[in-house]
Amino acid sequence: MPTAVNYAMFDNLFNNLKGFIDSKIQEVGNDLQKRFGVPEPAEPFVLIRRFTPADSTVTKGGIAIVKEGWQIEAYDNNTQSLLTSTDPLRNVILFEVAEPDVQECVLACQFYATVLNTEKPIKVSLGLRRPGQWGAMITTSQSTGVSSTEDFRPYEVRAHFKKEANAAKVQISVQFESSGILKIRDIELLQAPVKSES
């Protein structure tokens, strides 16, 4: 028959194992962040581009200009009805600009946003789109999720840029994983030099 001592010993073993696993997961996360993450900027960010409703978006459908910003809806392209959670992801490319004229930098996209009528956070991504092998385009990006809020809130997403043989386009896009509406304004693209590792 189990005793309280056996339960305490099991709890102690379980907590030790859990602590060991958590520390290993943290180590792997830190290693991935160093390898694939965005480095720290060496100096304050400087503005490269400010986007206004006068700028034309790459994706046209389901985007309306409201006051000083954009209202983007997730809908089925064929029926113009709102998506259900089983429908595929909708990707909206807002803006695409030429790569910075530097060898390496940290890019940042700062904006204000709010979302309505969504089950899942709506992701706003900052990415680099380059030609890959056999003519395919490859996009690598970082994103931040915008959850339901009543008021506009500030957000920032960063990406690491390194100049390569194939020129890249810097892309700001929105991904919906469920139906919803994203209101976004004051979109700015910034850059800063990369902090050297010492």
Side-chain angles (χ1 to χ4, degrees):
M1 184 170 179
T3 63
V5 173
N6 289 344
Y7 286 126
M9 189 172 70
F10 175 77
D11 283 347
N12 193 24
L13 282 171
F14 177 76
N15 288 334
N16 286 341
L17 180 62
K18 185 177 178 298
F20 175 76
I21 290 170
D22 288 346
S23 71
K24 288 299 175 191
I25 289 171
Q26 184 68 37
E27 282 177 31
V28 169
N30 290 343
D31 187 47
L32 286 173
Q33 181 68 19
K34 283 180 193 168
R35 211 177 280 179
F36 301 108
V38 178
E40 288 295 311
E43 299 171 12
F45 283 98
V46 294
L47 182 67
I48 303 173
R49 177 88 186 262
R50 179 175 287 122
F51 297 95
T52 71
D55 295 307
S56 181
T57 58
V58 175
T59 301
K60 304 296 180 200
I63 301 175
I65 294 172
V66 178
K67 296 184 181 173
E68 294 300 311
W70 300 265
Q71 180 172 300
I72 307 159
E73 297 182 32
Y75 63 88
D76 184 324
N77 284 327
N78 296 326
T79 62
Q80 302 262 333
S81 64
L82 286 178
L83 285 172
T84 64
S85 60
T86 59
D87 285 326
L89 175 77
R90 177 170 189 228
N91 186 47
V92 176
I93 301 169
L94 288 177
F95 303 106
E96 205 172 67
V97 296
E99 68 181 18
D101 191 21
V102 293
Q103 285 300 310
E104 183 179 16
C105 70
V106 179
L107 294 170
C109 178
Q110 295 176 349
F111 58 93
Y112 284 81
T114 184
V115 300
L116 307 166
N117 306 328
T118 188
E119 296 170 11
K120 297 181 180 178
I122 298 171
K123 292 180 182 172
V124 177
S125 297
L126 175 62
L128 298 165
R129 188 170 177 264
R130 299 180 191 277
Q133 292 182 327
W134 302 293
M137 297 302 284
I138 299 168
T139 304
T140 55
S141 64
Q142 301 285 332
S143 63
T144 189
V146 180
S147 299
S148 291
T149 58
E150 291 185 15
D151 300 316
F152 279 90
R153 291 194 181 158
Y155 292 89
E156 180 181 275
V157 60
R158 294 182 181 182
H160 183 201
F161 168 76
K162 275 188 172 180
K163 194 176 280 294
E164 294 181 11
N166 294 330
K169 293 278 189 183
V170 178
Q171 197 175 78
I172 299 168
S173 60
V174 178
Q175 294 82 37
F176 291 87
E177 292 183 14
S178 66
S179 63
I181 298 170
L182 172 73
K183 292 183 175 183
I184 187 167
R185 61 179 168 84
D186 303 326
I187 302 173
E188 295 182 340
L189 185 61
L190 306 101
Q191 77 179 43
V194 173
K195 184 182 279 187
S196 61
E197 294 191 14
S198 44

